[in-house]
Amino acid sequence: MADKLFRDMLRSVGKIFGLTFLLLAASGAVFYYQRAYSTSFQIAKLQDEKRKAEEEKRQLEQVVSRLSTEKRVADVLVSRQEKNADGVLETTLLLVEYDKQGSPLPAKSVTVLGEYVHIDAMVIKFDHDLVRENDPLRGHSIALFTKIYGDHQRPADAQMIDPPGRIPDIYRGAEPQVSEFEMSLWKEFWRLYEDESFRKSKGVRTASGHGLWGIFRPDRLYTVTIEPDGGLSLASEGLKGIYREALKQRFAPTPATGPAAAASPAPATTRPAAP
């Protein structure tokens, strides 16, 4: 009898240990699964957060670039400079503007009186949010050159860079939507200048005239840029050999073809009358 009770007790203890083992094993499996799932979830979450952080960084870098990068709008160089019969320095300039894609437009040649050259432009600055968001129409300040003259001339006698009533070269070949929008702004420029509510309706921060001036000499390349805040700046550097040779070829007299043939003169440029 005692042996039977002992065996029954051992079987009960064995069942208890067995159930306890199964319970511990199940708990371990659940814990392992939860831990593995949690780890996998955390890894996926971290990877997703990393992707989002990298995308935000990329967008921020683009915003900083748009808000801090200058944009070249024109190059100017002196093709001829000498005093005329009145002892006044005549300076002939080649002005090359750049389109929206940064490609050079046909050069314009103008002659001014004096060593100091003044270049006038109209500048439209758009709201910072539009620049930050890279708005397709208003993602960057825009400038339109208007007049150029020397210090021995009156501003009223300045030569027009873009003649009134004609589409400026900078808009030729541009996307129609961009061209039409910007042309409408130039036509309403002085209204933008005076009417705050009209400016806001167009997303314009300011519209005003800007002027650049400086000494222009041969063998120098002068670059006009529009700064992130919309201001114009002028910088110069030594003229590279390839530009110098191109100038020599452009303005060199045509070789004579016979004993009596005279060398052809350099291309004519419009010369302003002395004031």
Side-chain angles (χ1 to χ4, degrees):
M1 184 69 177
D3 290 341
K4 182 180 178 184
L5 290 173
F6 181 75
R7 286 194 298 271
D8 290 342
M9 184 178 67
L10 286 177
R11 281 195 295 270
S12 297
V13 171
K15 289 180 179 179
I16 292 172
F17 275 110
L19 292 172
T20 302
F21 176 78
L22 290 174
L23 181 62
L24 290 174
S27 299
V30 170
F31 175 77
Y32 177 80
Y33 174 78
Q34 289 178 337
R35 183 176 180 182
Y37 177 79
S38 176
T39 301
S40 176
F41 176 77
Q42 289 177 355
I43 291 174
K45 184 178 180 181
L46 288 173
Q47 290 176 340
D48 185 56
E49 290 176 350
K50 181 180 178 181
R51 283 194 295 269
K52 288 181 178 179
E54 290 176 347
E55 177 62 20
E56 290 176 355
K57 179 183 177 183
R58 185 183 65 82
Q59 292 179 358
L60 180 60
E61 288 174 346
Q62 291 179 348
V63 169
V64 171
S65 176
R66 287 193 292 271
L67 294 175
S68 61
T69 303
E70 291 185 340
K71 181 181 178 183
R72 181 173 62 170
V73 289
D75 283 335
V76 186
L77 53 85
V78 176
S79 61
R80 186 187 65 84
Q81 190 173 63
E82 59 186 15
K83 290 184 178 180
N84 60 20
D86 299 321
V88 177
L89 191 67
E90 287 188 353
T91 301
T92 300
L93 303 168
L94 285 181
L95 175 72
V96 179
E97 294 181 77
Y98 290 84
D99 64 17
K100 301 296 182 183
Q101 289 72 42
S103 301
L105 298 168
K108 300 173 183 178
S109 180
V110 295
T111 299
V112 299
L113 297 176
E115 185 178 29
Y116 291 88
V117 179
H118 297 255
I119 303 175
D120 290 343
M122 298 188 299
V123 175
I124 295 175
K125 307 176 188 179
F126 295 105
D127 292 339
H128 289 305
D129 288 343
L130 296 172
V131 177
R132 186 179 297 110
E133 296 166 5
N134 199 24
D135 184 279
L137 296 180
R138 299 161 292 189
H140 204 289
S141 299
I142 53 178
L144 183 67
F145 295 107
T146 53
K147 297 181 179 182
I148 185 168
Y149 57 98
D151 58 306
H152 277 258
Q153 295 171 267
R154 297 176 303 170
D157 296 328
Q159 296 184 63
M160 301 298 297
I161 297 177
D162 287 311
R166 203 179 78 183
I167 298 176
D169 288 337
I170 195 171
Y171 296 116
R172 299 183 187 279
E175 296 180 15
Q177 186 181 12
V178 176
S179 177
E180 290 173 9
F181 175 73
E182 292 190 8
M183 282 297 295
S184 69
L185 293 182
W186 296 126
K187 290 178 181 177
E188 299 284 355
F189 182 82
W190 294 114
R191 184 180 173 190
L192 289 170
Y193 173 76
E194 296 176 337
D195 190 336
E196 181 180 3
S197 60
F198 183 63
R199 285 199 303 273
K200 290 182 177 180
S201 71
K202 298 293 185 181
V204 172
R205 182 161 47 98
T206 63
S208 58
H210 284 240
L212 293 170
W213 66 276
I215 296 177
F216 283 70
R217 302 188 189 281
D219 289 330
R220 304 289 298 177
L221 176 64
Y222 299 86
T223 300
V224 181
T225 57
I226 186 166
E227 298 173 345
D229 64 356
L232 292 176
S233 63
L234 178 66
S236 71
E237 60 180 319
L239 192 63
K240 296 179 181 179
I242 187 171
Y243 291 112
R244 190 177 296 109
E245 289 303 317
L247 281 176
K248 287 180 181 178
Q249 293 178 18
R250 173 173 178 142
F251 293 99
T254 302
T257 56
S264 301
T269 56
T270 303
R271 297 185 182 179

